[in-house]
Amino acid sequence: MDHWTRGGPGRRRAGEGPRHALLAVPLALIALVTVVDILAPPEVHLGPFLAAAPALTASFAGPRATALVGLVAVLAQVVVSVARTTLTDLNHTFQITALILISVFVTFFAYLREQHERQVVQLRTVAEAAQQVVLRPPRERLGPLRVASVYLAAEAEARIGGDLYAAARTAQGTRFIVGDVRGKGLAAVGDAALVLGAFRAAAHQEADLPALVAYLEGTVAPEPEPEAGGADGRTGSGPAGVTEGEAGTQDAAGVEGMDDAADDRGEAFITAAVLDVPDGEHVLHLVNCGHPPPLLLRGGTVTSVDVAEPAPPLGLAEFAPGGYGMQAFAFEPGDLLLLYTDGVIEARDAAGGFYPLADRLAAWSGSGPRALLDTLRADLLAHVPGGRLGDDAAMVAVERRG
């Protein structure tokens, strides 16, 4: 069901053909410089221009191709030396020596660049594999709903993000979550997996939507810092039943490690929109935790589903002392709801303009959530330069059938 745009080995292999074709440029440069240098007057020396050939090759090819072009350039300089004077001529000897050194240096740099590219490809491949396991696509039919999802991975090296979405059927209807983890890389994927696991586990148990969001908050929020001491003389830094003296014998390094982990965990937060769509009512209930509001398409008109009192992102419960407010919105048969992450609306074109998602949704005249996402996906990739997103983007379309 999901469409994935990914970097990795497949895209890298696809670029090998153009890279090999580019080798014709430095080789043609060597041939041109060699012929012109042989035919030039004695006081004119074009040999230094041969150093541009391996340097140019190192910018797009690997170390083997760079070394090969460097070797051809050195042989060309030898031919020029023999044709113009002798191989032992001091001027040509220095030119050959300099060309050899330059070829060695640029070959080494090409090797380092290739190693870096392999590391990026491996990192991205691992992150994408983990993310595909975490993001199990929802079924196309969930009760009276038709559902489709799409995930577009960013093209900027290994900047895979923590965008997430999931759907869960309950006895009364269907619940959805769409969110975005702060940060990038495998750490963000891990946080996304944590929230999705908690959502799938609690969606069937928590009858109240705000209670479900509060449960998700508990999985993201940092552990409370232990108290210095209690009324019973026990310290909060150790397990229950451990006295202050016993707690003092714990390994200090281990305690510091736990403190550091708590500090790192405290920096995490997740924007999320959590919805409940009952089967027997033409409404949807929404708790929005700092996430971009869903868009509702009804009869060619697009409406932003904005809650009156949005909650802070998950992990920042201290800024929501009043709890999580839920708001109901009409969701009639034939309506189509679009959930998305900020990677969609923050995608920029060559002029720096943001992607006009609401306008594109209003202009759509097709039918069905899958057709909508296929259209938006193609249009979004056409909007950004080179079809490369700077941030991961996810969309979920939900249509209520008649």
Side-chain angles (χ1 to χ4, degrees):
M1 289 176 57
D2 281 21
H3 297 271
W4 290 78
T5 299
R6 60 169 67 95
R11 191 180 68 218
R12 188 170 180 269
R13 286 194 297 268
E16 289 298 326
R19 287 189 180 188
H20 290 160
L22 287 175
L23 287 176
V25 176
L27 293 176
L29 175 63
I30 292 174
L32 178 62
V33 172
T34 302
V35 172
V36 175
D37 200 10
I38 292 176
L39 300 178
E43 64 274 9
V44 177
H45 299 280
L46 301 179
F49 286 100
L50 291 173
L56 177 63
T57 306
S59 66
F60 62 84
R64 293 183 180 180
T66 303
L68 176 62
V69 172
L71 177 60
V72 173
V74 171
L75 293 177
Q77 183 61 63
V78 171
V79 171
V80 171
S81 301
V82 173
R84 297 195 59 170
T85 55
T86 64
L87 190 59
T88 58
D89 179 75
L90 186 60
N91 181 46
H92 289 115
T93 299
F94 277 112
Q95 290 187 26
I96 293 174
T97 303
L99 187 55
I100 292 175
L101 292 176
I102 291 174
S103 299
V104 170
F105 285 143
V106 296
T107 299
F108 177 69
F109 291 140
Y111 169 78
L112 295 179
R113 179 180 55 80
E114 186 176 70
Q115 291 298 111
H116 173 69
E117 289 180 352
R118 288 179 179 177
Q119 292 175 355
V120 169
V121 168
Q122 291 174 355
L123 175 61
R124 185 174 182 83
T125 301
V126 171
E128 284 182 343
Q131 200 161 32
Q132 291 187 50
V133 171
V134 170
L135 287 179
R136 299 197 302 267
R139 298 196 306 271
E140 292 183 358
R141 294 185 180 272
L142 296 171
L145 307 177
R146 288 201 299 169
V147 183
S149 59
V150 62
Y151 191 100
L152 300 174
E155 298 286 346
E157 293 188 342
R159 291 189 60 230
I160 193 163
D163 291 8
L164 59 95
Y165 55 78
R169 284 288 293 166
T170 67
Q172 291 77 32
T174 307
R175 287 177 168 175
F176 296 91
I177 183 173
V178 174
D180 189 359
V181 181
R182 172 185 180 270
K184 301 291 177 185
L186 289 175
V189 176
D191 288 337
L194 184 67
V195 172
L196 289 177
F199 172 80
R200 291 170 179 137
H204 309 276
Q205 301 174 4
E206 299 290 347
D208 184 51
L209 191 62
L212 171 61
V213 177
Y215 179 85
L216 299 178
E217 165 66 31
T219 67
V220 180
E223 294 290 338
E225 294 187 4
E227 299 178 359
D232 58 356
R234 296 172 181 173
T235 62
S237 59
V242 178
T243 64
E244 183 175 0
E246 292 170 337
T249 63
Q250 294 182 351
D251 181 21
V255 175
E256 291 179 359
M258 289 188 291
D259 291 341
D260 292 340
D263 291 342
D264 294 340
R265 196 74 189 90
E267 296 178 356
F269 66 84
I270 301 173
T271 66
V274 186
L275 299 90
D276 190 3
V277 184
D279 289 346
E281 301 179 67
H282 295 166
V283 299
L284 64 87
H285 302 111
L286 171 64
V287 175
N288 194 323
C289 301
H291 198 73
L295 297 176
L296 181 67
L297 177 62
R298 175 184 297 159
T301 301
V302 175
T303 304
S304 179
V305 184
D306 296 293
V307 297
E309 298 181 1
L314 300 176
L316 301 178
E318 57 186 300
F319 300 105
Y324 297 96
M326 180 183 70
Q327 190 167 341
F329 299 87
F331 191 36
E332 304 290 343
D335 289 355
L336 198 152
L337 184 73
L338 181 64
L339 313 172
Y340 56 94
T341 60
D342 58 8
V344 178
I345 56 177
E346 293 179 359
R348 296 175 179 264
D349 58 16
F354 292 110
Y355 181 69
L357 179 60
D359 294 341
R360 296 292 197 270
L361 183 59
W364 184 68
S365 59
S367 175
R370 171 50 55 201
L372 170 63
L373 292 191
D374 287 344
T375 301
L376 290 178
R377 173 185 179 275
D379 188 61
L380 177 62
L381 294 178
H383 178 80
V384 296
R388 297 185 174 184
L389 294 171
D391 191 9
D392 287 15
M395 291 181 285
V396 177
V398 183
E399 181 184 44
R400 181 182 285 278
R401 295 182 294 165

